[in-house]
Amino acid sequence: MERESIAVGLDIGTTKIVVMIGKKNEYGKLEILGIGKSKSLGVARGVVNNITQTIQSIQQAIQEAEANSGYRINDVVVGIAGQHIRSIQHSDYISRSNSDEVIGDADIDMLINQVHKLAMLPGEEIIHVLPQEFKIDGQSEIKEPIGMYGGRLESSFHVVVGQASSIRNVGRCIKSSGLDLSGLTLEPLASADAVLSQEEKEAGVALIDIGGGTTDLAIFKDGIIRHTAVIPFGGNVITEDIKEGCSIIEKQAELLKVKFGSAWPGENKDNEIVSIPGLRGREPKEISLKNLSKIIHARVVEIIEQVFAEIKAYGHEDPRKKLIAGIVLTGGGAELKHIKQLVEYITGMDTRIGYPNEHLAGKSGEEISSPLYATAVGLVMNSLRNNTMSATPLVELQKPVYQAPVRVQPVKTAPVVQEVEEDLETVAVEREPVNVPESTEKKVKRSFFDKYIDKIKDFLDNAE
């Protein structure tokens, strides 16, 4: 019987870090086995700026996800974002030596690998090479070239580029957290997988993912990714504005935004007031909800106008490039009251809030189907497509421990089993793989802690 694949997505956001473990159920829907989240420390505008704090936050989220699911995480697919991300359009071709053979996967791979060799600006690295339409011997608008005959295979590509140092920093955080990195995905692409339908991608749609530090944009038309952009503003800038405008601390500003905030000032009456407790015995502060909405409105308008400028840059006003399905809003910022109406007012395009619940199994909690988790759900879906085994049930990890070695007397093995059982609890915290050889009793008895110290020494010796 084939083992079902278990996928793990890691969303390193500016405000939160989310680890999600999932698998496909018998109906092809995504079943979430466990979720762990922690406050994101050491990340600013989608970019890691403090390695130690980021590692601590990742480990905290991983431990929570493992405790919730009963699985041990081995590797993760990570979402990448940040203001260093940019995208370019590029066309390339290959000449096939034998045009009497049909075009196969090897030809497509050769063409994509050729694009990967593109000369980039110093310090930049290609993250994704996404083929758009193909052209075979001058015949254009071919979406699926495999199985066709032809000598010259040509394609236009959407190439996503990022800073190599930022990508390596993310990889370092994953490695130092005791995990392997199985894949990198651009966050707006992951969010798009989670909240967009194929019909929307065909008709033309702009996905706007409003996160804590950045606002990500992905535009689809005819089922193909056409444009991506990362705007270096998000929900945190709104919180900062409230903090400055109302002279309150950040924690209070965030609570105000979530509980009473609205992107549409006309909704609040002049006499609606909220009282904020004063600091250390000071008088409480009274804040008008109308003023609060005005502060939020001003910043949201700025963010949406920048996104709309990117949509226009793609060519939305051209009838052939028109986005019939309009705009889909997702991410934590999409939960702000009346933001849908404001986006429709500014852009004149149909807008809806994107929830990832379409792909989730029925028994998934209400919390997981929030726009807040769209990227994490998309990353798990991305990982499942690669048939990964990113997590192992803790029960399976313990199986070798309970199989008595053939050449050892049962009386002698009893204390060893007990000792290893105790050590397994330590392993869950120390994140060191459990390898229990059946041949030698001495090896079984060797302290897991010693192994862990050896690993650290090796890591430090091999560190760059």
Side-chain angles (χ1 to χ4, degrees):
M1 187 179 146
E2 194 183 323
R3 292 182 77 184
E4 60 182 355
S5 67
I6 307 291
V8 182
L10 171 61
D11 174 15
I12 302 176
T14 307
T15 48
K16 68 182 186 329
I17 286 175
V18 178
V19 175
M20 200 176 268
I21 306 174
K23 65 172 185 178
K24 271 198 176 161
N25 66 8
E26 63 269 34
Y27 307 109
K29 294 284 187 185
L30 180 63
E31 187 180 323
I32 303 300
L33 303 168
I35 185 169
K37 60 179 187 291
S38 65
K39 189 170 170 54
S40 181
L41 303 168
V43 181
R45 292 194 172 164
V47 179
V48 174
N49 64 2
N50 186 318
I51 295 274
T52 312
Q53 287 185 330
T54 307
I55 292 166
Q56 286 171 356
S57 297
I58 291 171
Q59 286 176 334
Q60 193 181 327
I62 282 162
Q63 283 171 12
E64 191 183 319
E66 287 181 336
N68 288 344
S69 64
Y71 281 77
R72 170 109 193 291
I73 297 170
N74 308 317
D75 58 73
V76 291
V77 166
V78 179
I80 192 125
Q83 60 201 72
H84 62 95
I85 301 287
R86 68 184 183 96
S87 60
I88 52 175
Q89 296 297 121
H90 175 73
S91 292
D92 217 324
Y93 73 93
I94 55 165
S95 296
R96 301 178 67 237
S97 53
N98 188 357
S99 57
D100 293 334
E101 280 185 15
V102 294
I103 293 165
D105 286 325
D107 297 300
I108 307 292
D109 289 343
M110 190 192 292
L111 184 54
I112 288 171
N113 289 338
Q114 194 165 293
V115 179
H116 270 288
K117 291 172 188 166
L118 267 178
M120 290 288 115
L121 292 171
E124 282 192 333
E125 206 171 274
I126 292 175
I127 301 170
H128 289 295
V129 172
L130 306 164
Q132 298 184 320
E133 285 107 347
F134 290 89
K135 199 186 270 190
I136 300 171
D137 293 343
Q139 182 189 341
S140 59
E141 293 184 12
I142 295 168
K143 286 189 180 178
E144 184 50 87
I146 291 173
M148 297 179 79
Y149 290 99
R152 179 185 164 110
L153 176 64
E154 201 176 332
S155 177
S156 54
F157 292 93
H158 183 79
V159 183
V160 180
V161 181
Q163 281 291 336
S165 57
S166 296
I167 296 163
R168 276 203 286 273
N169 284 339
V170 169
R172 170 88 196 280
C173 291
I174 307 303
K175 269 273 184 279
S176 301
S177 301
L179 302 169
D180 287 328
L181 183 61
S182 60
L184 270 176
T185 302
L186 188 64
E187 290 197 351
L189 295 181
S191 303
D193 280 348
V195 303
L196 297 182
S197 66
Q198 193 53 42
E199 289 84 359
E200 284 176 318
K201 289 181 183 178
E202 288 287 343
V205 66
L207 176 86
I208 302 173
D209 184 345
I210 307 170
T214 59
T215 298
D216 306 331
L217 170 71
I219 295 176
F220 293 84
K221 178 76 176 171
D222 300 327
I224 298 164
I225 180 82
R226 299 292 181 182
H227 187 74
T228 50
V230 177
I231 286 113
F233 298 112
N236 285 5
V237 192
I238 301 170
T239 306
E240 196 66 31
D241 286 354
I242 297 168
K243 179 183 141 187
E244 299 294 330
C246 301
S247 302
I248 54 177
I249 61 170
E250 195 171 329
K251 192 177 172 185
Q252 293 171 336
E254 182 64 30
L255 274 170
L256 261 183
K257 180 182 79 175
V258 173
K259 280 197 162 188
F260 303 103
S262 164
W264 202 266
E267 287 297 313
N268 297 110
K269 296 182 180 69
D270 291 326
N271 60 353
E272 285 182 310
I273 283 169
V274 64
S275 183
I276 304 280
L279 296 173
R280 290 295 293 252
R282 292 174 179 83
E283 288 292 309
K285 211 177 221 93
E286 290 192 340
I287 290 161
S288 156
L289 290 189
K290 199 170 191 77
N291 286 342
L292 177 69
S293 293
K294 280 178 181 172
I295 293 168
I296 295 170
H297 174 81
R299 183 59 82 174
V300 174
V301 166
E302 188 187 345
I303 293 169
I304 300 306
E305 279 177 347
Q306 285 202 38
V307 174
F308 195 38
E310 289 285 348
I311 294 172
K312 283 178 180 169
Y314 146 77
H316 161 66
E317 285 159 355
D318 181 340
R320 287 171 304 167
K321 293 183 171 183
K322 194 168 175 64
L323 304 177
I324 298 164
I327 290 171
V328 176
L329 293 171
T330 193
E335 295 183 314
L336 186 63
K337 283 192 206 88
H338 308 114
I339 193 164
K340 172 185 174 292
Q341 291 86 332
L342 181 62
V343 172
E344 283 181 339
Y345 177 75
I346 293 170
T347 62
M349 296 165 75
D350 287 341
T351 305
R352 75 171 177 89
I353 306 293
Y355 298 92
N357 50 6
E358 185 186 326
H359 301 284
L360 293 173
K363 59 184 177 185
S364 300
E366 194 178 311
E367 186 193 21
I368 296 166
S369 58
S370 151
L372 206 65
Y373 295 108
T375 303
V377 170
L379 290 169
V380 174
M381 289 168 65
N382 184 290
S383 183
L384 278 173
R385 278 201 293 273
N386 303 330
N387 290 321
T388 51
M389 190 66 200
S390 298
T392 318
L394 288 172
V395 180
E396 280 188 25
L397 282 173
Q398 293 172 25
K399 273 182 187 173
V401 175
Y402 294 101
Q403 291 168 358
V406 181
R407 282 173 283 181
V408 181
Q409 292 297 320
V411 182
K412 289 183 182 179
T413 57
V416 177
V417 171
Q418 188 180 356
E419 188 178 327
V420 175
E421 272 183 340
E422 286 167 9
D423 280 334
L424 272 171
E425 291 179 19
T426 318
V427 168
V429 180
E430 300 294 352
R431 307 217 37 73
E432 181 60 33
V434 184
N435 292 315
V436 185
E438 292 182 358
S439 54
T440 352
E441 201 172 340
K442 280 183 184 176
K443 281 186 185 176
V444 175
K445 281 184 174 177
R446 188 181 171 205
S447 161
F448 281 90
F449 185 72
D450 288 347
K451 276 194 198 177
Y452 186 64
I453 294 296
D454 290 348
K455 279 278 183 189
I456 291 174
K457 282 178 185 169
D458 287 348
F459 177 74
L460 291 171
D461 290 342
N462 298 327
E464 294 176 0

